[in-house]
Amino acid sequence: MRLADRVRDLGTETAFEAAARAAALEATGRHVIHLELGEPDFDTPANIREAAKRAIDEGRTHYAPPLGLPALREALAADATARKGFAVTPDRVVVLPGAKPSIFYSLLALVQPGDEVIYPDPGFPIYESMARYAGASPVPLPLRPENGFRLDPDELEGLVTPRTRVIVFNSPGNPTGEVLTRDDLEWIAGVAQEHDLVVLADEIYGRLVHEGEHISIASLPGMAERTVVMDGFSKTFAMTGWRLGYAILPQPLLEPFRRLVINSVSCTATFSQVGAIEAITGPQDAMEAMLAEFRARRDLIVEGLNAIPGLRCHRPAGAFYVFPDVSGTGLDGRELTDRLLVEGGVAVLPGTAFGRVGANHVRVSYANSRENIALALERIAEVAASLVAGSR
Ligand code: PLP
């Protein structure tokens, strides 16, 4: 069968493949601790599940309007206005099946061959993949470990050319968990305004902040009109399988998004959207309990990893990932990932799953119980000790 050229270079998310590898090992009878997955281990809170079940029983199983249920768009606009610090009207909110389609549709709508898209390295692999799929050249912006995984404003400025159209960034960030400061955002905003660029701000971890605050770049003066804010329910409310996300769009992108939705998925599942209304307007205590638990796990894992000779771990302020430097073991991130799985029964991801900068790192997700994290730390310590001893 002859396949179209455009699918040849489509990237992927190694997390799904790593999970399959770990599952294959488990199928042979090995016990594996999963620290590779980017999804909360909690169940969706009961009030949200009940709302969606009721919706199904009430027959809300038909198509919804392409841009989302009006009641959800209104609730999201009110929520975003309160939390993100800029005035959002319901007509600018588009409900989508996950946060991912925001990346897809934004880049399809904004770039074409000859254009360039700046994206974070390390960063979520879909930015680069989708920029290339849309015909543009992806340009990595290094977030260097020695700089605390923050961006270097001069480096950002240096990457902009007359062909640059979009800057993508993600804060709190996957895979580092780092949260950009107001200064960082002002730098990005300044560059975007000076060169007339669109910003794609991935705020999917925006409510998962352990210290400091999450600031939306769209709240800075003049930025709402050039920013696509993407957010969703997957991480905040443990709703990965519901496929629920949303984008807040500048006016010119509304019609392209409407058409892209109609051409691809028609709408987001109606009863999922009813669950989403409950998620944002109902009690927040389950969500807050999850966040508190993530914070305790972060402290456990950062302390545990830093106690292991050969590993060095920063203390990120957000999301549920850490991104330790493993070069002290004598191996790079990919080699250590293999050894941890095969010898230790611990699944993590190599830093290179997120770009080149993270070659000496692994991404460890702490979306697992404290008990499993403690056991994983013991196993990682054993593997690392054998490596450090072997390299002497
Ligand atoms: N953006 C980032 C940074 C992510 O880490 C993820 C999920 O891993 C997504 C977007 C996709 O979210 P969703 O599952 O809601 O499509």
Side-chain angles (χ1 to χ4, degrees):
M1 189 183 296
R2 197 208 66 169
L3 297 177
D5 290 347
R6 81 175 75 84
V7 295
R8 218 182 26 215
D9 296 331
L10 205 49
T12 184
E13 238 188 289
T14 339
F16 289 108
E17 283 155 26
R21 247 188 102 199
L25 193 65
E26 271 173 328
T28 68
R30 282 288 301 282
H31 180 254
V32 176
I33 303 174
H34 292 273
L35 304 182
E36 80 280 32
L37 297 174
E39 77 171 333
D41 54 317
F42 306 107
D43 287 331
T44 304
N47 59 317
I48 304 173
R49 298 200 308 262
E50 289 308 321
K53 282 193 253 179
R54 264 196 317 275
I56 292 178
D57 288 341
E58 288 164 4
R60 304 199 67 181
T61 52
H62 301 270
Y63 288 127
L67 297 187
L69 294 177
L72 178 55
R73 296 174 75 196
E74 266 166 41
L76 284 168
D79 184 69
T81 301
R83 285 183 205 288
K84 295 188 189 284
F86 67 107
V88 181
T89 49
D91 60 306
R92 295 293 181 90
V93 179
V94 176
V95 180
L96 298 163
K100 257 182 187 167
S102 299
I103 308 171
F104 202 162
Y105 298 160
S106 300
L107 293 173
L108 284 180
L110 288 166
V111 299
Q112 56 198 12
D115 293 339
E116 292 175 0
V117 174
I118 297 177
Y119 70 95
D121 174 1
F124 190 50
I126 302 306
Y127 310 137
E128 180 194 358
S129 171
M130 280 315 309
R132 187 169 284 121
Y133 184 77
S137 301
V139 178
L141 170 65
L143 306 178
R144 300 186 193 281
E146 58 272 25
N147 204 13
F149 300 111
R150 305 250 309 278
L151 60 97
D152 174 339
D154 294 332
E155 207 160 7
L156 171 61
E157 183 74 51
L159 292 175
V160 176
T161 75
R163 299 167 153 225
T164 310
R165 294 273 298 133
V166 177
I167 302 178
V168 187
F169 75 93
N170 169 219
S171 175
N174 177 10
T176 67
E178 287 303 334
V179 180
L180 296 187
T181 63
R182 186 173 289 279
D183 281 351
D184 296 329
L185 298 173
E186 281 173 356
W187 272 109
I188 298 172
V191 171
Q193 288 176 343
E194 189 185 334
H195 300 278
D196 193 20
L197 310 178
V198 177
V199 170
L200 178 50
D202 185 343
E203 300 186 354
I204 186 137
Y205 298 101
R207 286 187 68 186
L208 302 184
V209 174
H210 310 307
E211 277 117 29
E213 57 169 340
H214 163 70
I215 303 166
S216 177
I217 195 168
S219 69
L220 302 186
M223 285 308 291
E225 286 314 310
R226 59 173 70 249
T227 303
V228 174
V229 174
M230 51 177 283
D231 205 330
F233 294 79
S234 298
K235 319 287 177 173
T236 316
F237 297 101
M239 293 174 77
T240 47
W242 293 62
R243 307 315 298 135
L244 265 173
Y246 64 97
I248 304 169
L249 299 176
Q251 199 278 335
L253 279 172
L254 285 167
E255 186 55 21
F257 262 62
R258 202 176 71 83
R259 288 178 187 240
L260 285 163
V261 169
I262 290 171
N263 275 272
S264 54
V265 293
S266 295
C267 66
T268 301
T270 308
F271 46 84
S272 278
Q273 294 194 54
V274 177
I277 296 173
E278 174 63 22
I280 50 171
T281 61
Q284 300 295 297
D285 44 335
M287 182 267 149
E288 276 153 20
M290 291 193 267
L291 180 58
E293 177 59 24
F294 279 139
R295 189 171 304 150
R297 293 173 185 182
R298 179 205 54 175
D299 294 343
L300 176 68
I301 204 156
V302 169
E303 204 179 304
L305 289 172
N306 277 326
I308 298 175
L311 305 186
R312 250 183 318 128
C313 189
H314 61 132
R315 194 165 182 275
F320 41 71
Y321 309 113
V322 288
F323 201 59
D325 182 325
V326 303
S327 54
T329 63
L331 301 185
D332 67 17
R334 184 165 293 280
E335 292 161 337
L336 186 69
T337 299
D338 286 343
R339 298 283 281 263
L340 287 179
L341 181 62
V342 174
E343 293 170 24
V346 177
V348 300
L349 293 181
T352 45
F354 303 90
R356 287 176 179 213
V357 171
N360 284 329
H361 297 254
V362 295
R363 189 194 76 172
V364 186
S365 162
Y366 51 86
N368 204 326
S369 67
R370 283 190 239 185
E371 196 185 358
N372 279 338
I373 289 172
L375 184 56
L377 285 167
E378 280 174 29
R379 293 183 182 183
I380 295 171
E382 269 173 42
V383 174
S386 73
L387 293 169
V388 172
S391 66
R392 273 201 204 108

